[in-house]
Amino acid sequence: MLNMIKADFYRIFKGKSIYIALIILLSLISLSCFTMSPGHIGIVATDDTSDVVYDEELNQKLSDTNSIIETRRLVKEYGSYPIDKLQLGANINLYYFFIIIVAIVLVTDLSTSTAKNTLSSAISRKRYYASKLITCLLLGTGLILINNYVSYFLNLIMNGSKFSSGILEITKLTLLQLPILYGIISLLVCLGFCFKKSANFNSITIPLIILIQLIIMGIASLFHFDASQLLNYELQYILANLVTNPTTAYLIKTTLLGLIYIVGFTTIGYTVFKKSEIK
């Protein structure tokens, strides 16, 4: 299994896709630091600005300008809030980079004869599934660390300590988010084994987050109930809420949810893979 993981790492870092993904990720981080505002992909507006210090004079001046440069000058003069912390609240963006990792590590093999050749060389399906999951988790961890710590240091350089929450805080928040982020990776690996073909995998995973949010809000609208309690356990909301001083009970629940994702989707994915035919 170790040799398979090493082979996957060699193949990934020999190709161009992972470097293109890193360039895009670093570009998004740089843009967020420059505009002094985190951005996220999704349709749910989460409460990720609770640490922003609002100033009436600043709000008035910001409303009177359309210039990013002028906005930066005004915010740096009047504002004070942890941009790096807010960036971690927008870590649902990493979901789309996890898709790239799973596609390269797993789906490409399943879409070709590579997986069949590997399984025919005395490699069990259990070891194959475990090696792919571990590889994706290791690469995902590297991506998380790059994202979080580059965000911290770049923000500190560009915007100063007044807009930084501190490296210890970033480390703590990273650890709090890991169970859910690992759960997301486990979900994507499961979907990779379930759908196999690249076109099928991409068509399911790319719109999945937005689709889940639409379903939740649609059900809430149809049955006339407050969706906020349910949305508190939606992936984008969880990652944002974990950086806004969550309660101990919420931390326990979201950590358990992440573990349930890891165990549950690994079980489902392996069960499907064990019974499926690899062409």
Side-chain angles (χ1 to χ4, degrees):
M1 187 168 69
L2 183 60
N3 289 333
M4 289 179 60
I5 294 172
K6 289 180 178 178
D8 278 332
F9 268 84
Y10 175 78
R11 178 164 55 89
I12 288 164
F13 288 107
K14 188 178 179 181
K16 297 178 181 178
S17 299
I18 190 67
Y19 298 106
I20 294 173
L22 284 173
I23 290 171
I24 294 172
L25 178 63
L26 294 174
S27 298
L28 291 174
I29 293 171
S30 300
L31 180 62
S32 178
C33 289
F34 183 74
T35 59
M36 306 181 79
S37 174
H40 59 76
I41 301 171
I43 61 174
V44 175
T46 56
D47 182 22
D48 59 359
T49 58
S50 62
D51 289 315
V52 175
V53 176
Y54 291 100
D55 183 282
E56 292 184 7
E57 185 176 2
L58 172 60
N59 288 337
Q60 182 59 46
K61 289 179 180 291
L62 289 175
S63 66
D64 294 335
T65 181
N66 294 319
S67 169
I68 294 178
I69 301 297
E70 179 64 12
T71 298
R72 272 184 58 80
R73 187 191 69 79
L74 290 169
V75 171
K76 293 187 77 170
E77 181 178 353
Y78 295 97
S80 176
Y81 55 93
I83 296 171
D84 49 7
K85 188 174 177 180
L86 300 184
Q87 286 173 317
L88 266 63
N91 269 355
I92 192 61
N93 295 344
L94 290 174
Y95 169 82
Y96 299 95
F97 293 94
F98 294 156
I99 290 176
I100 296 173
I101 289 175
V102 176
I104 298 172
V105 172
L106 172 63
V107 181
T108 301
D109 283 3
L110 294 175
S111 297
T112 62
S113 59
T114 305
K116 185 176 182 179
N117 294 337
T118 303
L119 291 170
S120 64
S121 61
I123 300 296
S124 68
R125 295 200 177 203
K126 182 182 293 185
R127 291 175 62 191
Y128 184 88
Y129 193 104
S131 70
K132 294 299 183 181
L133 178 60
I134 291 171
T135 301
C136 290
L137 288 172
L138 289 174
L139 289 168
T141 301
L143 198 67
I144 293 164
L145 295 177
I146 289 172
N147 175 77
N148 291 4
Y149 287 104
V150 169
S151 295
Y152 167 74
F153 285 111
L154 189 59
N155 172 64
L156 188 62
I157 293 169
M158 292 179 66
N159 301 315
S161 59
K162 189 169 70 167
F163 296 92
S164 171
S165 59
I167 194 166
L168 292 179
E169 180 70 7
I170 293 300
T171 301
K172 184 191 80 171
L173 295 176
T174 299
L175 294 174
L176 292 180
Q177 288 186 338
L178 278 181
I180 286 297
L181 292 172
Y182 284 167
I184 291 173
I185 295 172
S186 301
L187 164 63
L188 290 172
V189 171
C190 172
L191 292 175
F193 276 104
C194 289
F195 293 98
K196 300 182 182 68
K197 298 297 182 182
S198 296
N200 295 337
F201 175 75
N202 291 333
S203 63
I204 293 295
T205 57
I206 291 174
L208 184 61
I209 295 295
I210 296 177
L211 183 62
I212 291 172
Q213 294 172 355
L214 284 172
I215 291 173
I216 292 174
M217 291 188 290
I219 292 174
S221 176
L222 182 63
F223 293 99
H224 305 288
F225 70 87
D226 184 6
S228 60
Q229 292 301 313
L230 188 57
L231 283 172
N232 276 333
Y233 298 96
E234 185 272 333
L235 296 174
Q236 181 174 329
Y237 251 75
I238 292 173
L239 293 172
N241 289 340
L242 286 174
V243 306
T244 57
N245 300 316
T247 64
T248 301
Y250 186 77
L251 287 175
I252 294 172
K253 289 177 182 178
T254 54
T255 299
L256 286 175
L257 183 61
L259 294 175
I260 291 170
Y261 266 58
I262 295 169
V263 175
F265 286 115
T266 298
T267 302
I268 293 170
Y270 175 66
T271 301
V272 171
F273 178 53
K274 186 170 61 174
K275 296 180 180 180
S276 64
E277 180 183 357
I278 305 300
K279 300 180 180 180

